[in-house]
Amino acid sequence: MNWKVRANLLRALAAMPGGHRVYVALQRQFGRFRDPKYIRRKLKRQAELARLAVEHGVQLEGAHVMELGTGWVPAMAFGFYLCGAKKVSTFDLNKYVFHESLKAVMLCITTDSGNQGIWADLVDSKTLYRRMVGVDSKNRDEYVLDIIPDYELDDFQFFNIEYIAPGDARNSGLAADSIDIHCSTNTFEHIPREDLLAILVEARRVLKPNGLAVHYADPTDHFAHADKTQSPVRFLNLTQRDIERYYRNRYTYQNLLFDDDYRELFDEAGLEIVDVKFKLDDRSLDALKTNPPTLSGFENRNVEQLSRRNLIYVARKRQ
Ligand SMILES: C[S@@+](CC[C@H](N)C(=O)[O-])C[C@H]1O[C@@H](n2cnc3c(N)ncnc32)[C@H](O)[C@@H]1O
């Protein structure tokens, strides 16, 4: 879809009385959670973050995981359950998970036998199989998943998952020094800088001394995801007015932070980065070399930095 059509539609929904209901209804009807490939990608991402946590010394079996920004599809939470987490506390300001999206994750986990491979190096095969069978049997349990109304879907305790929504990761209420892994995917970029700082300060408070913050962020222009005619850094050549118009409502908010900004934020929050992964996006780099950023504040930024995507940070409390 042309990015401006989409942007204007979302902008209108954000401004319109009752627009949120329409937004939720549209997501439920046409949301990407219906595509098993989309969920599978999320499960793979969870395994990637879990793997990094293990490489940096955290044990998954028995871990207490805190997730920031559950979204519509609780794939991260289920992934950590399969990896042996004793508890996953997943927070979202909005209660977006509903029956169909919950079932879609469970179905995706259990219908594709190839999925076992996602966690093959993280969990022994018998244990993983047993947990997957457990997910499958609950998914068939009509009482649990079909009769409970959506608004009561506030925890999936049979999977050690505590769904806290509405819940604010800036002020989690979790005990200090109690969390082994603080994580998120595709969430950082949607949060204003000052809120993200508060979230990371809270992460520092709740993390155990050897716990890890492991986060994946996508700093590219999200309107370019669905409109391939647009470059992933296209927003750096818009005007400030366009940014305010199209990237500042509750459905399209993007903070326009990049790799160096996130590194600075971790540091400011008292978290020490121990590992960073990213991909240098050639398309973005070419686009920025041809058309250097004109957006105010970005004119003198390093174009290589701005072309980094698939950002992953692993950080621990600075002692
Ligand atoms: C893009 S969505 C999450 C995507 C999800 N992690 C995924 O990969 O599908 C970002 C979510 O972060 C949530 N969020 C924003 N600020 C938050 C906060 N302070 N505490 C908890 N959740 C927050 C929003 O409500 C939104 O649902």
Side-chain angles (χ1 to χ4, degrees), residues 27-235:
Q27 284 286 349
R28 286 183 164 205
Q29 202 57 39
F30 305 109
R32 281 185 294 174
F33 71 89
R34 292 177 183 281
D35 179 1
K37 280 195 216 135
Y38 172 75
I39 297 179
R40 199 158 196 270
R41 272 202 301 276
K42 294 213 167 282
L43 294 170
K44 283 184 164 175
R45 184 74 67 204
Q46 178 277 331
E48 188 181 6
L49 298 188
R51 202 164 288 123
L52 278 168
V54 171
E55 274 173 37
H56 288 277
V58 169
Q59 250 200 329
L60 301 178
E61 201 65 46
H64 187 174
V65 178
M66 171 179 172
E67 184 191 11
L68 151 73
T70 324
W72 296 90
V73 178
M76 280 276 274
F78 272 89
F80 276 110
Y81 162 71
L82 293 174
C83 289
K86 111 184 145 204
K87 190 166 181 184
V88 183
S89 304
T90 178
F91 285 77
D92 204 301
L93 289 179
N94 294 288
K95 193 165 191 161
Y96 283 141
V97 174
F98 62 108
H99 278 117
E100 286 86 341
S101 64
L102 175 60
K103 289 193 98 160
V105 176
M106 294 167 78
L107 201 66
C108 176
I109 286 172
T110 53
T111 47
D112 186 345
S113 56
N115 277 350
Q116 262 198 282
I118 297 178
W119 299 279
D121 57 331
L122 296 169
V123 193
D124 82 79
S125 56
K126 271 193 193 153
T127 310
L128 182 59
Y129 181 72
R130 185 170 45 74
R131 288 181 185 142
M132 283 176 142
V133 168
V135 172
D136 185 45
S137 78
K138 282 290 177 210
N139 202 12
R140 290 164 198 270
D141 183 337
E142 294 194 353
Y143 173 73
V144 172
L145 290 174
D146 291 336
I147 296 179
I148 299 176
D150 279 345
Y151 60 82
E152 279 183 16
L153 268 183
D154 47 12
D155 62 339
F156 326 124
Q157 275 182 6
F158 27 84
F159 303 117
N160 308 345
I161 297 170
E162 173 183 41
Y163 178 40
I164 303 153
D168 191 342
R170 285 172 295 187
N171 184 12
S172 68
L174 297 175
D177 297 342
S178 64
I179 295 295
D180 297 282
I181 300 174
H182 182 277
C183 60
S184 71
T185 56
N186 302 83
T187 295
F188 268 26
E189 64 269 24
H190 300 292
I191 299 182
R193 189 186 193 283
E194 61 278 19
D195 293 350
L196 203 46
L197 179 59
I199 286 168
L200 292 177
V201 167
E202 174 71 349
R204 186 180 195 284
R205 185 187 72 79
V206 297
L207 275 172
K208 290 181 181 171
N210 296 326
L212 289 176
V214 190
H215 294 273
Y216 172 88
D218 172 5
T220 61
D221 184 339
H222 286 21
F223 284 123
H225 292 177
D227 183 348
K228 299 293 178 206
T229 64
Q230 304 297 319
S231 112
V233 283
R234 190 257 348 221
F235 49 15

Side-chain angles (χ1 to χ4, degrees), residues 1-11 222-223 226 252:
M1 187 193 281
N2 173 282
W3 81 270
K4 263 198 177 158
V5 174
R6 188 177 153 78
N8 279 317
L9 180 70
L10 290 167
R11 197 168 145 240
H222 286 21
F223 284 123
T252 62

Side-chain angles (χ1 to χ4, degrees), residues 235-236 240 255-258 261 292-303 306:
F235 49 15
L236 297 178
Q240 193 57 41
N255 57 22
L256 271 70
L257 296 178
F258 292 84
D261 305 306
T294 49
L295 182 64
S296 166
F298 289 88
E299 302 92 331
N300 299 317
R301 296 274 297 258
N302 177 308
V303 293
L306 299 174

